[in-house]
Amino acid sequence: MKGCPLRCQWCANPESWKSSPEVVFFEEKCIGCNRCLTVCKEGAITKGDAFPSFDRDKCRCSSRCCEVCPAGARKLIGSVVTVDDVLAVIKRDTVFYRESGGGVTFSGGEPFAQPEFLRQLVTACSRLGINTAVETSGYFDWEQVDDIFEMLDCVFIDIKHMDDVRHREMTGVGNDKILENIARISRVHPYTVVRVPLISEVNANEQNIHMMCEFIKSRTDVKGVELLPYHDFGESKYRAVGAQAGKFTTPEATAINNLKKIIADYNIPVVDFK
C-alpha cells in the first residue's frame, strides 16, 4: 500500500512514500525522443539538454507521458483501487495458498496508514480462509487498528534503532510509539517477529543490539528476530522520484554472525524466512 509516515534514509522503496499515484522518471533509460513533451498538458515536462526536464510539482499524473515513452523511462506508480479489486487478484491464487500453506502479506509503505482499507481486506481474507501477514513500521495509533491484529496470522514489525534521537535523525520520527506498539502487539498476537534492517553506519553495532534484546526480553512476547542486511537495489528509484539516496554499506558476514550470537545469548530465536 502506498503511503508511509517514515522517511528512512536507506529505504529500498521511496516510490511508496507518497500515498497518491505519481509519475517517476528514470533518466538513465531516456533516449531523448521528446514524445513526452508533446502530450504533457500541464507543462510539467520541458525541453532539456540530454533529456527533458521534469517538474514534479506540476505533474497531475495523467500517465500520457508514460504511455508514449518507448523506452519505459516514465512510469505511473500507484493506482486507486477498491477492496473488491484487490480481492479479485488475491482469489486468483487461492489454489497456491492451499497447496503451499502460504497466503497474503500486506506491505507498503505503511499498511496501517490506510486502516479501514486494510481492515476490510484482512476481514475478507479471513472469511475465505486465506492466511494473512502484515509488514509494518509500527508507527500508527493503536486505538485505530487494534482489532485488525486479531484477524492476522503473522506480524512482522521493524525496529530501526533503539535510540530515539538517532531514530528520528534516520527516519524522521521518534521510536517511542513504535516500541510501545511492539509491546502491545506481541502481548495480543501469538506470532510477532521483529525485523532489523542492518546498516553498518546506523544500527549494526553491539550496543544497539544489546538494547534491543533487553527491550524484547523485558517488555514483549516477541517470538523471534529477523536480521535483514542492507542493500542498495533501490538507489535508482531515488533519482526517479526526485530524492537523494543515502550512502550506506552492508555489514560484513562476520559482524552479522556476531550480532546473531548476541541475540541468541538472550535466548531470542533468530529466524530466517528466505
Side-chain angles (χ1 to χ4, degrees), residues 38-58:
T38 65
V39 297
C40 181
K41 307 300 183 183
E42 295 83 21
I45 304 174
T46 56
K47 191 172 180 59
D49 296 328
F51 44 78
S53 297
F54 185 27
D55 187 338
R56 291 173 174 80
D57 291 334
K58 293 182 178 180

Side-chain angles (χ1 to χ4, degrees), residues 12 230-237:
Y230 166 77
H231 63 75
D232 61 1
F233 299 159
E235 187 172 338
S236 64
K237 298 180 183 179

Side-chain angles (χ1 to χ4, degrees), residues 23-27 30 32-38 40 42-59 65 73-74 239-240 242:
V23 171
V24 300
F25 176 41
F26 295 93
E27 296 177 356
C30 181
C33 69
N34 289 330
R35 294 184 186 180
C36 52
L37 273 71
T38 65
C40 181
E42 295 83 21
I45 304 174
T46 56
K47 191 172 180 59
D49 296 328
F51 44 78
S53 297
F54 185 27
D55 187 338
R56 291 173 174 80
D57 291 334
K58 293 182 178 180
C59 180
C65 61
R74 297 182 185 275
R239 296 191 298 272

Side-chain angles (χ1 to χ4, degrees), residues 12-30:
N13 300 298
E15 76 280 11
S16 70
W17 288 348
K18 294 181 180 179
S19 59
S20 58
E22 61 185 312
V23 171
V24 300
F25 176 41
F26 295 93
E27 296 177 356
E28 65 275 13
K29 293 185 178 181
C30 181

Side-chain angles (χ1 to χ4, degrees), residues 13-263:
N13 300 298
E15 76 280 11
S16 70
W17 288 348
K18 294 181 180 179
S19 59
S20 58
E22 61 185 312
V23 171
V24 300
F25 176 41
F26 295 93
E27 296 177 356
E28 65 275 13
K29 293 185 178 181
C30 181
I31 59 175
C33 69
N34 289 330
R35 294 184 186 180
C36 52
L37 273 71
T38 65
V39 297
C40 181
K41 307 300 183 183
E42 295 83 21
I45 304 174
T46 56
K47 191 172 180 59
D49 296 328
F51 44 78
S53 297
F54 185 27
D55 187 338
R56 291 173 174 80
D57 291 334
K58 293 182 178 180
C59 180
R60 296 296 175 266
C61 300
S62 69
S63 78
R64 289 187 296 266
C65 61
C66 306
E67 294 166 3
V68 301
C69 180
R74 297 182 185 275
K75 293 182 178 180
L76 179 64
I77 302 295
S79 59
V80 179
V81 296
T82 67
V83 170
D84 287 340
D85 291 334
V86 180
L87 278 176
V89 176
I90 290 174
K91 289 178 180 177
R92 294 174 192 167
D93 293 327
T94 302
V95 63
F96 297 108
Y97 308 144
R98 288 199 299 265
E99 293 293 329
S100 68
V104 177
T105 300
F106 299 101
S107 185
E110 174 51 63
F112 288 105
Q114 301 183 49
E116 185 52 36
F117 195 84
L118 179 63
R119 180 178 291 107
Q120 292 183 40
L121 279 174
V122 173
T123 300
C125 287
S126 179
R127 289 172 178 167
L128 292 170
I130 298 173
N131 288 345
T132 54
V134 68
E135 296 177 328
T136 175
S137 68
Y139 196 82
F140 50 75
D141 293 328
W142 175 255
E143 294 76 14
Q144 295 182 5
V145 302
D146 58 337
D147 61 302
I148 299 176
F149 290 98
E150 299 175 6
M151 298 178 284
L152 292 165
D153 293 287
C154 186
V155 179
F156 298 98
I157 187 164
D158 287 0
I159 292 183
K160 320 283 190 183
H161 206 293
M162 289 301 300
D163 181 81
D164 182 73
V165 173
R166 187 65 170 148
H167 193 283
R168 193 177 298 275
E169 290 174 352
M170 292 288 100
T171 72
V173 303
N175 68 2
D176 285 348
K177 179 184 288 190
I178 295 170
L179 296 180
E180 182 60 32
N181 282 336
I182 291 174
R184 285 168 167 167
I185 294 166
S186 70
R187 288 196 291 265
V188 301
H189 199 282
Y191 202 78
T192 302
V193 176
V194 161
R195 281 179 166 172
V196 184
L198 278 185
I199 305 142
S200 296
E201 298 83 357
V202 178
N203 59 6
N205 59 76
E206 294 185 8
Q207 180 184 17
N208 183 62
I209 298 302
H210 275 295
M211 290 174 64
M212 180 193 71
C213 291
E214 290 166 5
F215 162 75
I216 289 174
K217 294 295 288 187
S218 65
R219 292 187 55 193
T220 82
D221 293 318
V222 164
K223 301 306 179 185
V225 171
E226 183 180 15
L227 302 181
L228 304 174
Y230 166 77
H231 63 75
D232 61 1
F233 299 159
E235 187 172 338
S236 64
K237 298 180 183 179
Y238 281 83
R239 296 191 298 272
V241 301
Q244 181 67 43
K247 296 296 182 183
F248 301 104
T249 55
T250 306
E252 298 290 338
T254 52
I256 294 176
N257 288 334
N258 182 50
L259 298 180
K260 286 182 177 180
K261 184 178 184 303
I262 291 174
I263 297 171

